[in-house]
Amino acid sequence: MIAGFPRAEFERRCSALHGHMHADGIDALLLTTPADIFYVTGFLTRFWESPARPWFVILPAGKGPRTVIPSIGAPLMAEGFTDDILTWDAPHPTDDGVSLLSEALRAAVPAAGTLGLPMGLETHLRMPLADWGRVTQSLGARRIIDATHTVERVREIKSDGEIARIKATCALAAKAFAQVPDLVRAAPRLDAVARGYQAALLHSGADWVSYLASAAGPEGYGDIIAPAGPQPLRSGDVLMLDTGAVKDGYFCDFDRNFAIDPPSACVERTHKALFEATDEALAALQPGLRACDVHRILAEGLVARGAQPGGGRLGHGLGITLTEWPSFTPLDQTELRAGMVLTLEPSAQTRPGKLLVHEENIVLRADGAELLSPRAAPEMEVIPL
Amino acid sequence: MIAGFPRAEFERRCSALHGHMHADGIDALLLTTPADIFYVTGFLTRFWESPARPWFVILPAGKGPRTVIPSIGAPLMAEGFTDDILTWDAPHPTDDGVSLLSEALRAAVPAAGTLGLPMGLETHLRMPLADWGRVTQSLGARRIIDATHTVERVREIKSDGEIARIKATCALAAKAFAQVPDLVRAAPRLDAVARGYQAALLHSGADWVSYLASAAGPEGYGDIIAPAGPQPLRSGDVLMLDTGAVKDGYFCDFDRNFAIDPPSACVERTHKALFEATDEALAALQPGLRACDVHRILAEGLVARGAQPGGGRLGHGLGITLTEWPSFTPLDQTELRAGMVLTLEPSAQTRPGKLLVHEENIVLRADGAELLSPRAAPEMEVIPL
């Protein structure tokens, strides 16, 4: 077992990547982010929180992953899906893995061959830019191309094991959401509830809580990304908590709204529109639709019920990171395929500058959507203050 | 107030950056990471957990920050130290802020001028690499240079307000460490203790817990970056918890070791060496030393007590991220200056493959080190099982 998965899980992942690499004319992949490296090797650690060190995984065509990493990670990497671990003592002020990585890339990619790495939407290269310049200098005539889709077309189709993990993380969040009324009654302040809710996630069995958004206000909220402040929760507020807990390396990402004392007619109406538009999308989703179709279905569902859709995306992929591609926007043409794990996240204005956001997590099956988050109740839960 | 700081804090930060930019011949800085952006604007959010969107801050010479960000961040950014916020609807599949950023950079940097961005050790460019290529194409003859030190020489000197925050976060961790014996007795399993300790940090007042390392074993531990597993804690184990909690945007990063039942003579001896070597370093630290001197002081202090120093760095900077430069390695020549917040983190082998790590957080004052973490007890705390 590797990171709790059978070894065959990683064989399948690498083999799928090899297939796409072949199709895309790539001799080796270079991966640098926590998610990509966990995906191919099972290397799971919170040590990424330190920006001090870069980590590299090379996946050569037809071969297993070759890792080029700081020495401190060698014992953990040795438990992963690789038997090829090169290390250096990082951080090194003048050669922080550059010569080791360059040599490994030259060995993996023929002199007139092609190196692929993710450089497109939603990606970044997690290493110093100047060092990347030095690496590319050392590669001579080798071509360097964008492998964003090479990786995405594989990672976006979740295995049964991955789906089970995301569903398990969703269940932990549901358990913690059930404690919110008690938390509000104990200390009706946004920051206190945000702290207590994170603790509840841990007590429910989350390994860690990488993300929590919280907001509250009369008729909804305007800003959904600010940290929780000491704002008192008042009668008439809608309280929203949006969870990115992690268990065994996989995220959930769904929210719940709570009315502090019975909600206004406008909040009730808007919430009903969000709930019903989500139901419509759940019924309509099927492989072959495009991401932009889901945006349209949700937006039209809201408009048909007299609600005004919020700006921005109305859902996205989910898995090893809190958010993955595609994005449910009018512009995203990504084709939906069976095995994708997605969030439906419609939002609607209650009045200018005030929103409600409703979110569920699903897996797309050959015959349609299957919920991974336990479906919210049709009516917003009321917490009497 | 911005992010809890007086506005003057940000005026001072930007003015200090302007001074270094002038000295380094930089017409504008481009910043893309959560830490750099929080530092100059006060923009603090956990939304960075989503890799979907890039965020940009441009600091032109002599002017305030100009921000180029996804629309979803505009309300929060408007509370920050900027009155210049350009937005686009992200993620956008074909132009994810590229043309907006390019135009803003061309406006900030004269046609024959110089753009600086961090590209050195411990940095990365948080945006898609292909988009960066498009931006540089658009900049014509403008020079692009490494501004790692331009930013570091400013960020590394913490203000009184920053030091107070780090000290406050350390105090929260100390409060949570006091609960570890109860947690161990309640459920003597590494993962249960790791969960309970994170919840204790939240209950103590941490906003969130971005990092926790935990390990346990007889005579110490080998791997300090693996996630906590269901390993039972047994008589004779040393349990280590290393905390990266966050309060008001600032980290602590220190650990504590606990003996499960009385420790072996070797553990006692090694812990004593770590404690005393730390005391020596606390007494010796002063501005003007170099990072490599601190490594030498700690390593020699351990050797003098018959202990074998662990590999890797023996401490580092601390602040907005869990780890900051410099690194206490034999190679790091960074000069220590008053106002730096640092960790002393000596490690020593108890036997091949087994370590103890001891860590404290300090601020360097003109007359020497001042502890920010409440100093550990000289003897390892024993938890009778």
Side-chain angles (χ1 to χ4, degrees):
Chain A
M1 300 291 278
I2 293 170
F5 287 110
R7 195 177 170 80
E9 172 88 14
F10 293 94
E11 287 165 355
R12 187 194 55 72
R13 293 177 182 186
C14 288
S15 159
L17 286 167
H18 288 147
H20 281 266
M21 288 163 63
H22 181 75
D24 297 339
I26 292 173
D27 294 299
L29 270 183
L30 173 63
L31 306 174
T32 64
T33 63
D36 284 343
I37 289 180
F38 174 51
Y39 188 75
V40 300
T41 67
F43 183 76
L44 179 65
T45 173
R46 298 181 81 179
F47 202 60
W48 293 99
E49 189 65 33
S50 165
R53 302 172 184 84
W55 304 72
F56 307 109
V57 168
I58 300 168
L59 187 71
K63 292 187 191 155
R66 178 163 223 210
T67 64
V68 183
I69 62 170
S71 317
I72 195 170
L76 182 60
M77 188 61 89
E79 297 172 21
F81 185 66
T82 180
D83 50 11
D84 191 354
I85 303 172
L86 305 172
T87 66
W88 82 98
D89 282 336
H92 188 295
T94 55
D95 182 4
D96 206 34
V98 170
S99 55
L100 204 58
L101 174 65
S102 298
E103 194 180 338
L105 288 174
R106 286 193 303 267
V109 181
T114 300
L115 173 68
L117 68 154
M119 345 176 168
L121 197 68
E122 307 202 22
T123 74
H124 67 272
L125 180 69
R126 193 187 176 282
M127 69 179 289
L129 189 63
D131 283 349
W132 173 243
R134 294 165 65 198
V135 170
T136 56
Q137 286 285 323
S138 83
L139 294 181
R142 291 165 183 85
R143 279 208 317 153
I144 299 173
I145 68 168
D146 184 9
T148 303
H149 295 313
T150 318
V151 174
E152 283 184 352
R153 291 298 85 80
V154 175
R155 267 188 56 197
E156 72 192 13
I157 306 301
K158 268 60 178 178
S159 69
D160 289 346
E162 292 185 285
I163 294 163
R165 287 193 185 198
I166 299 166
K167 187 170 184 173
T169 310
C170 287
L172 301 179
K175 219 165 129 186
F177 275 130
Q179 297 172 46
V180 170
D182 286 344
L183 292 169
V184 170
R185 279 186 289 264
R189 241 177 54 175
L190 188 59
D191 57 355
V193 171
R195 283 199 185 95
Y197 178 68
Q198 292 180 86
L201 284 164
L202 291 161
H203 290 309
S204 298
D207 294 330
W208 53 78
V209 184
S210 290
Y211 182 74
L212 175 68
S214 59
E219 310 282 306
Y221 26 83
D223 182 344
I224 54 171
I225 72 169
Q231 155 195 354
L233 298 176
R234 296 206 171 90
S235 185
D237 280 355
V238 178
L239 164 68
M240 185 278 296
L241 295 164
D242 186 1
T243 300
V246 178
K247 168 79 178 156
D248 296 329
Y250 284 79
F251 274 87
C252 66
D253 178 17
F254 66 102
D255 78 354
R256 288 296 176 257
N257 289 277
F258 301 87
I260 310 295
D261 289 334
S264 70
C266 168
V267 165
E268 265 191 335
R269 196 172 55 239
T270 309
H271 187 262
K272 189 163 190 281
L274 289 166
F275 189 87
E276 292 178 358
T278 303
D279 269 351
E280 269 184 10
L282 285 169
L285 274 179
Q286 52 178 312
L289 288 178
R290 299 193 171 265
C292 51
D293 296 327
V294 184
H295 183 275
R296 184 180 41 73
I297 291 166
L298 285 167
E300 289 178 357
L302 290 169
V303 170
R305 288 166 180 84
Q308 191 188 333
R313 61 185 183 178
L314 303 182
H316 52 79
L318 167 67
I320 301 178
T321 47
L322 173 69
T323 74
E324 296 183 358
W325 63 93
S327 294
F328 298 150
T329 66
L331 296 173
D332 191 321
Q333 299 285 325
T334 308
E335 184 187 343
L336 302 191
R337 297 157 66 207
M340 280 185 165
V341 172
L342 302 159
T343 80
L344 296 176
E345 190 178 13
S347 61
Q349 278 202 17
T350 51
R351 61 182 195 214
K354 291 279 186 177
L355 281 176
L356 295 182
V357 184
H358 180 75
E359 190 170 22
E360 300 285 11
N361 299 162
I362 64 136
V363 57
L364 189 59
R365 303 290 193 183
D367 57 354
E370 177 189 317
L371 278 162
L372 297 179
S373 52
R375 185 79 173 103
E379 262 125 55
M380 199 183 288
E381 185 170 352
V382 177
I383 305 177
L385 202 62
Chain B
M1 300 291 279
I2 294 170
F5 287 110
R7 194 176 172 82
E9 171 88 15
F10 292 94
E11 286 164 356
R12 187 195 55 72
R13 293 177 183 185
C14 288
S15 158
L17 286 167
H18 288 145
H20 281 267
M21 288 163 63
H22 182 74
D24 297 338
I26 292 172
D27 295 299
L29 271 182
L30 173 64
L31 306 173
T32 65
T33 62
D36 285 343
I37 289 180
F38 174 50
Y39 188 75
V40 299
T41 66
F43 183 76
L44 178 66
T45 172
R46 298 181 81 179
F47 202 60
W48 293 99
E49 189 65 33
S50 165
R53 302 173 184 85
W55 305 72
F56 308 108
V57 169
I58 300 168
L59 187 70
K63 292 187 191 156
R66 177 162 223 211
T67 64
V68 183
I69 62 170
S71 317
I72 195 171
L76 182 60
M77 187 61 89
E79 296 173 21
F81 185 66
T82 180
D83 50 11
D84 190 355
I85 304 172
L86 305 172
T87 66
W88 82 98
D89 282 336
H92 188 295
T94 55
D95 182 3
D96 206 34
V98 170
S99 55
L100 203 58
L101 174 64
S102 298
E103 195 181 336
L105 287 173
R106 285 194 305 268
V109 181
T114 300
L115 173 69
L117 68 155
M119 342 176 170
L121 196 68
E122 308 201 21
T123 74
H124 67 271
L125 179 70
R126 193 186 176 283
M127 69 178 290
L129 189 62
D131 284 349
W132 173 242
R134 295 166 64 198
V135 169
T136 56
Q137 286 285 324
S138 83
L139 294 182
R142 291 166 183 85
R143 279 207 318 153
I144 299 173
I145 69 169
D146 184 9
T148 302
H149 295 313
T150 317
V151 174
E152 283 184 352
R153 291 297 85 81
V154 175
R155 266 189 55 196
E156 71 192 13
I157 306 302
K158 268 59 177 178
S159 69
D160 289 346
E162 293 185 284
I163 294 163
R165 287 194 185 198
I166 299 167
K167 188 170 184 173
T169 309
C170 287
L172 301 179
K175 218 165 131 186
F177 275 130
Q179 297 172 46
V180 170
D182 286 345
L183 292 169
V184 170
R185 279 186 289 265
R189 242 177 55 176
L190 188 59
D191 57 355
V193 171
R195 283 200 185 94
Y197 177 68
Q198 292 180 86
L201 284 164
L202 291 161
H203 289 309
S204 297
D207 294 330
W208 52 80
V209 184
S210 290
Y211 182 74
L212 175 69
S214 58
E219 310 282 306
Y221 27 81
D223 182 344
I224 54 170
I225 72 168
Q231 155 195 354
L233 299 175
R234 296 206 171 89
S235 185
D237 280 356
V238 179
L239 164 67
M240 185 277 297
L241 295 165
D242 187 0
T243 300
V246 178
K247 169 80 177 154
D248 296 328
Y250 283 78
F251 273 87
C252 66
D253 178 18
F254 66 103
D255 78 354
R256 289 296 176 256
N257 289 277
F258 302 86
I260 309 296
D261 290 334
S264 71
C266 168
V267 164
E268 265 190 337
R269 198 171 53 237
T270 308
H271 188 261
K272 190 163 189 280
L274 289 166
F275 190 87
E276 292 177 358
T278 303
D279 270 351
E280 270 184 9
L282 286 168
L285 274 179
Q286 52 178 314
L289 287 178
R290 299 196 169 263
C292 52
D293 297 326
V294 184
H295 183 274
R296 184 180 40 73
I297 291 166
L298 286 167
E300 287 179 358
L302 291 169
V303 169
R305 287 166 181 84
Q308 191 188 333
R313 61 183 181 179
L314 303 182
H316 52 78
L318 167 68
I320 300 179
T321 48
L322 173 69
T323 74
E324 296 183 359
W325 64 93
S327 294
F328 298 150
T329 67
L331 296 172
D332 192 321
Q333 299 285 325
T334 309
E335 184 189 344
L336 303 192
R337 298 157 67 207
M340 280 185 164
V341 172
L342 302 160
T343 80
L344 295 176
E345 190 177 14
S347 62
Q349 277 204 18
T350 52
R351 61 184 196 214
K354 290 279 185 177
L355 282 176
L356 296 182
V357 184
H358 181 74
E359 190 170 22
E360 300 285 11
N361 299 163
I362 63 135
V363 57
L364 189 59
R365 301 291 193 183
D367 57 353
E370 176 189 319
L371 279 161
L372 297 179
S373 51
R375 184 81 174 102
E379 262 125 56
M380 198 183 288
E381 182 168 354
V382 177
I383 305 176
L385 203 63

